[in-house]
Amino acid sequence: SQQGEEDPQALSIQEGENATMNCSYKTSINNLQWYRQNSGRGLVHLILIRSNEREKHSGRLRVTLDTSKKSSSLLITASRAADTASYFCATDGRAGTALIFGKGTTLSVSS
Amino acid sequence: DSGVTQTPKHLITATGQRVTLRCSPRSGDLSVYWYQQSLDQGLQFLIQYYNGEERAKGNILERFSAQQFPDLHSELNLSSLELGDSALYFCASSVGGQGFNVLTFGAGSRLTVL
């Protein structure tokens, strides 16, 4: 069963615009992670935010976490065509079970 | 190259057959995870091994089995294959065995069942 649900399912923007993806989850977590997948390839880890953190930055990425609402957002600033990919949030349960992934947001950035 | 090696990359077989997917984790990683990705089900966690022992089980069918060997490579066995088993199968590895670890994914094995 899915722990995280990303929203929107698909997002199309122009180069230079910002892209925001949201993730909602159901149970308490130790941390939340975001991964990226280029078409048909393996997932690549982008960023991890712990349950006691509210915001984290990595280059053009900004992740927020609201544990009271059980939600997270991933912001990609100044998007590039190379950012075209699917983005997944993943959460663990408090019991430390394996990462459970959402169905992802497909981002398309056109030049 | 992520350091996680999966073979074969592509596999085409018939219903009822059995296949074995192989994964070598990144050097130094003790934990191996198997995930199945299909269009309708998304990325589903199947099973995790840590240093040779089963650590967590997800939505793995009884027709599927896995193991991790002393050299830490892992194999996922899929038997009595059905059309619906067609999917991308990913192996991932991590240093530790806890769910909050960062995963390094392989490139995947694409299975087509005809």
Side-chain angles (χ1 to χ4, degrees), chain A residues 2 31 35 37 96-97 99, chain B residues 35 37 40 44 99-101 103:
Chain A
Q2 306 297 133
N31 69 54
Y35 286 77
Q37 182 183 31
T97 56
L99 281 182
Chain B
Y35 287 85
Q37 186 177 38
D40 56 341
Q44 295 284 322
F100 49 75
N101 289 153
L103 303 187

Side-chain angles (χ1 to χ4, degrees), chain A residues 28-42:
Chain A
S28 296
I29 58 172
N30 289 302
N31 69 54
L32 185 143
Q33 302 181 36
W34 285 90
Y35 286 77
R36 165 195 167 125
Q37 182 183 31
N38 286 74
S39 180
R41 299 193 164 209

Side-chain angles (χ1 to χ4, degrees), chain A residues 1-2 30-31 33 35 37 40-45 48 50 88 91-92 95-103, chain B residues 33 35 37 40-45 48 56 59 88 90 97-108 110:
Chain A
S1 63
Q2 306 297 133
N30 289 302
N31 69 54
Q33 302 181 36
Y35 286 77
Q37 182 183 31
R41 299 193 164 209
L43 282 74
V44 175
H45 176 256
L48 178 153
R50 302 187 194 287
F88 296 85
T91 56
D92 65 323
T97 56
L99 281 182
I100 303 299
F101 288 79
K103 290 198 172 184
Chain B
Y33 308 75
Y35 287 85
Q37 186 177 38
D40 56 341
Q41 292 294 319
L43 198 65
Q44 295 284 322
F45 167 64
Q48 177 202 357
N59 301 323
L88 256 176
F90 286 107
Q98 296 299 315
F100 49 75
N101 289 153
V102 171
L103 303 187
T104 301
F105 279 80
R110 183 175 294 280

